[in-house]
Amino acid sequence: LVTGYTSNYGDMLRQMLEGDLKIPVLTGGGLALGGLEKEFPADFMKKVVFPASRFSFEKNTARVQEFEGLVKKSGKVPNFEVAYTYDSTRLLQAALDRAGTTDPKAIFGAMLGLMPYEGVNGTIRLDENRDAILDLHPCRYGPNGIELALPESH
């Protein structure tokens, strides 16, 4: 397990490669931001597993393509962090529309009525404490970018 800030992943992965580490490595989701997969051999990166949202590996959906187009049009680079903000904003707008008022309790009730909510990053759900449950999957870098590390049935 590799923990640290996303900016430290490169150094940590280099040390593992230099030490000829042969076992799979679990890192944080920051690896899904991209860039490091170009610095390391593909066979090494296939052993590095990290959590990623559907945005990272389901690029051909209409929802993701629309989001990427909007973000690129604004001059920004689309990534899962921007997608979380986008999903949250769209959910809040849908709740406002459904509530028909700016009353916070009505908006929250409307938001609960929209659960589960399908966003760019995947399905948004709330637990019994009303905390968001992230729709994350174990992923790795493959020949075509980010891919599931395990088949969907697991």
Side-chain angles (χ1 to χ4, degrees):
L1 175 62
V2 176
T3 61
Y5 294 105
T6 302
S7 60
N8 296 44
Y9 284 164
D11 291 335
M12 290 184 277
L13 293 175
R14 263 187 280 300
Q15 290 173 357
M16 289 176 206
L17 185 61
E18 290 167 5
D20 200 27
L21 188 69
K22 303 258 189 255
I23 61 172
V25 175
L26 177 63
T27 71
L31 206 59
L33 289 171
L36 287 176
E37 75 281 5
K38 297 173 186 125
E39 295 182 34
F40 296 93
D43 61 330
F44 174 76
M45 289 305 290
K46 282 188 86 166
K47 294 184 283 187
V48 179
V49 178
F50 53 92
S53 70
R54 291 195 174 275
F55 166 76
S56 298
F57 59 87
E58 287 186 352
K59 297 291 189 178
N60 294 327
T61 66
R63 184 177 283 120
V64 168
Q65 290 178 352
E66 175 188 3
F67 163 73
E68 285 189 327
L70 290 169
V71 173
K72 288 176 181 176
K73 187 177 176 182
S74 73
K76 304 293 181 193
V77 177
N79 65 51
F80 72 90
E81 291 176 327
V82 176
Y84 280 124
T85 302
Y86 178 81
D87 286 348
S88 299
T89 302
R90 301 240 345 188
L91 174 58
L92 179 58
Q93 183 62 58
L96 280 163
D97 292 345
R98 181 179 265 203
T101 177
T102 57
D103 176 61
K105 289 182 180 180
I107 295 167
F108 187 69
M111 189 178 292
L112 290 176
L114 292 167
M115 293 294 135
Y117 183 83
E118 290 298 322
V120 172
N121 271 321
T123 306
I124 299 172
R125 293 182 175 80
L126 299 178
D127 68 11
E128 63 278 354
N129 296 318
R130 298 185 215 142
D131 292 324
I133 299 170
L134 301 178
D135 187 12
L136 299 175
H137 303 268
C139 292
R140 66 177 172 208
Y141 281 97
N144 299 312
I146 296 175
E147 63 185 22
L148 289 170
L150 300 171
E152 275 285 348
S153 61
H154 283 99

